[in-house]
Amino acid sequence: MPIEHILEKGIIKIRKNKYIKILKIIPINFNLKTQLEKEVILNSYKIFLKTCSFDMQILIQSKKEDLSQHIKNIQNNSEKEKNKIIKKYAEKYIDFIKEKNNKNKSSSKNIYLIIKNNSENLEENIIQDLNEKYFKIKECLSRCGNIVLECNKEETKSILFSFFNLKKFFDS
């Protein structure tokens, strides 16, 4: 993907008059909702899909979590603890984390929505169009309980780096 320029607010100029905008989605935990809440969320999502009649792409990026620092912090605090019962619980908690991580291979997920504009308009009109699409998406997905964020220039660079350098990103 030849990137010509990264503008503010997650807008990327790919080629002549081709632009994309990257949005970060912070999802709800659907499994924790009641049946009625789930129905409302699904209906809101249907409205979102019908309302947004433009090209978009959903990207989900998983990254293996490194829990060693978390475990090290617990061990350090445990060593300072004088109460033997609390120390014992800390040790059990560390064993629990290690066991869970070995079984499930803990990972975090980042969800991105990419919208594009391929028109022959002026750059300022294209940017305005992408921003209008962002506000439409934000409004619709907010009804579902999700948070939609614009990415700034640095976040956009980081996202692009992670997608184009997957091996480096996951090995770290």
Side-chain angles (χ1 to χ4, degrees), residues 80-115:
K80 296 174 190 173
E81 183 60 52
K82 293 182 180 10
N83 187 326
K84 290 182 181 184
I85 296 172
I86 294 176
K87 274 187 164 189
K88 186 176 181 178
Y89 279 116
E91 289 170 15
K92 285 184 178 184
Y93 179 61
I94 290 170
D95 292 339
F96 172 77
I97 292 172
K98 287 179 179 177
E99 180 184 331
K100 278 293 197 188
N101 194 36
N102 287 336
K103 283 183 182 176
N104 300 336
K105 298 296 179 201
S106 298
S107 65
S108 62
K109 293 190 183 341
N110 291 320
I111 300 172
Y112 301 102
L113 217 155
I114 299 175
I115 52 178

Side-chain angles (χ1 to χ4, degrees), residues 119-148:
S119 69
E120 296 294 322
N121 292 331
L122 297 171
E123 185 174 284
E124 62 189 44
N125 293 341
I126 292 171
I127 292 169
Q128 181 179 349
D129 176 63
L130 287 171
N131 286 327
E132 287 172 7
K133 289 175 181 176
Y134 157 67
F135 286 116
K136 184 180 276 192
I137 290 168
K138 183 176 181 171
E139 178 185 337
C140 290
L141 288 182
S142 294
R143 288 187 200 134
C144 300
N146 300 292
I147 299 170
V148 180

Side-chain angles (χ1 to χ4, degrees), residues 19-32:
Y19 292 79
I20 62 172
K21 182 176 179 84
I22 300 177
L23 308 174
K24 184 172 184 174
I25 311 298
I26 301 173
I28 58 167
N29 191 334
F30 189 76
N31 293 330
L32 295 178

